[in-house]
Amino acid sequence: DQQVKQNSPSLSVQEGRISILNCDYTNSMFDYFLWYKKYPAEGPTFLISISSIKDKNEDGRFTVFLNKSAKHLSLHIVPSQPGDSAVYFCAVESGTYKYIFGTGTRLKVLA
Amino acid sequence: DAGITQSPRHKVTETGTPVTLRCHQTENHRYMYWYRQDPGHGLRLIHYSYGVKDTDKGEVSDGYSVSRSKTEDFLLTLESATSSQTSVYFCAISESYRNTGELFFGEGSRLTVL
């Protein structure tokens, strides 16, 4: 069973608007969450993280929200730019040094 | 950028042949990981290491083995490659764990098994 789910395989957004990427997890014991961005033919790069003691973390245009009761986190990108077009993965620390990733959401920002 | 080098970057091989992918880091990070990326599956953990000679299985470890004889190198071996192991393989490293760590990824190794 997938412990980390990204139910939207793809998302298209107009330049300048908000992009919202969603991620659900199954285990309430998970307490550290990360988002990664991946361009074609490159390795994933770290974007932003959040600990379960917080419900929001911001870094420039990127904000991650955590809803522990719903076991849901989201990544907001405002304003979206064409260079943000990439595949976004959410990940969790799943215990004993392991990081588990979701299936990814392909974001396309239209100019 | 974290100093991570994967080799080879591209390889085509035949079913039944052994294959070894190498991950080399210059960061002296303790933790090292091998993931594979496949359409519809995202990034799946194959094996990981939490120290020299300390390794463990991930989600999709069947058909793979690893070795880490020194801090900087983490080898992934396919003893007898199968077509289902055609994938892009990523090595990742991390300095720490537990609410502080983040993974730094290599550029990937594309493996095709015919």
Side-chain angles (χ1 to χ4, degrees):
Chain A
D1 286 347
Q2 277 185 301
Q3 299 183 71
V4 182
K5 301 177 184 179
Q6 293 178 257
N7 292 319
S8 298
S10 63
L11 174 68
S12 291
V13 172
Q14 285 295 130
E15 182 179 5
R17 305 296 289 267
I18 184 171
S19 295
I20 300 176
L21 297 98
N22 294 304
C23 179
D24 297 296
Y25 57 96
T26 57
N27 192 333
S28 58
M29 298 299 291
F30 293 156
D31 59 5
Y32 188 63
F33 308 88
L34 310 92
W35 282 96
Y36 280 78
K37 178 170 69 174
K38 186 185 180 302
Y39 293 119
E42 295 183 9
T45 55
F46 172 75
L47 201 53
I48 193 169
S49 62
I50 188 167
S51 167
S52 61
I53 61 173
K54 296 184 175 181
D55 53 19
K56 177 182 173 181
N57 189 28
E58 288 181 82
D59 184 1
R61 297 186 296 114
F62 302 90
T63 303
V64 56
F65 294 92
L66 177 62
N67 182 333
K68 292 183 286 293
S69 61
K71 295 197 283 289
H72 176 84
L73 67 156
S74 61
L75 176 68
H76 292 210
I77 306 174
V78 182
S80 301
Q81 299 173 353
D84 296 328
S85 296
V87 177
Y88 289 80
F89 293 99
C90 65
V92 302
E93 280 186 357
S94 66
T96 46
Y97 318 118
K98 292 189 286 190
Y99 295 84
I100 303 299
F101 283 75
T103 52
T105 296
R106 183 178 302 276
L107 173 67
K108 187 171 184 179
V109 180
L110 307 170
Chain B
D1 288 346
I4 310 170
T5 305
Q6 292 186 228
S7 59
R9 294 291 314 281
H10 301 272
K11 186 172 181 66
V12 180
T13 191
E14 294 190 351
T15 297
T17 61
V19 176
T20 295
L21 304 180
R22 180 184 184 230
C23 178
H24 178 78
Q25 61 147 327
T26 57
E27 305 295 324
N28 201 36
H29 285 356
R30 177 181 175 185
Y31 304 96
M32 299 187 75
Y33 304 81
W34 277 108
Y35 287 87
R36 59 179 288 177
Q37 184 193 9
D38 304 289
H41 292 280
L43 292 161
R44 292 182 293 175
L45 180 63
I46 306 171
H47 280 281
Y48 63 100
S49 170
Y50 47 96
V52 173
K53 299 186 178 179
D54 291 322
T55 65
D56 207 345
K57 296 178 180 179
E59 306 164 87
V60 289
S61 59
D62 287 349
Y64 302 94
S65 62
V66 290
S67 66
R68 190 172 180 198
S69 59
K70 45 187 177 177
T71 299
E72 57 266 35
D73 288 327
F74 193 32
L75 303 180
L76 177 70
T77 297
L78 292 66
E79 299 291 347
S80 177
T82 68
S83 58
S84 64
Q85 294 175 312
T86 292
S87 187
V88 181
Y89 292 85
F90 289 98
C91 174
I93 64 174
S94 178
E95 183 178 24
S96 60
Y97 192 69
R98 295 308 299 159
N99 296 340
T100 61
E102 62 179 83
L103 296 178
F104 298 96
F105 283 85
E107 295 187 344
S109 295
R110 181 175 293 276
L111 175 66
T112 302
V113 183
L114 301 176

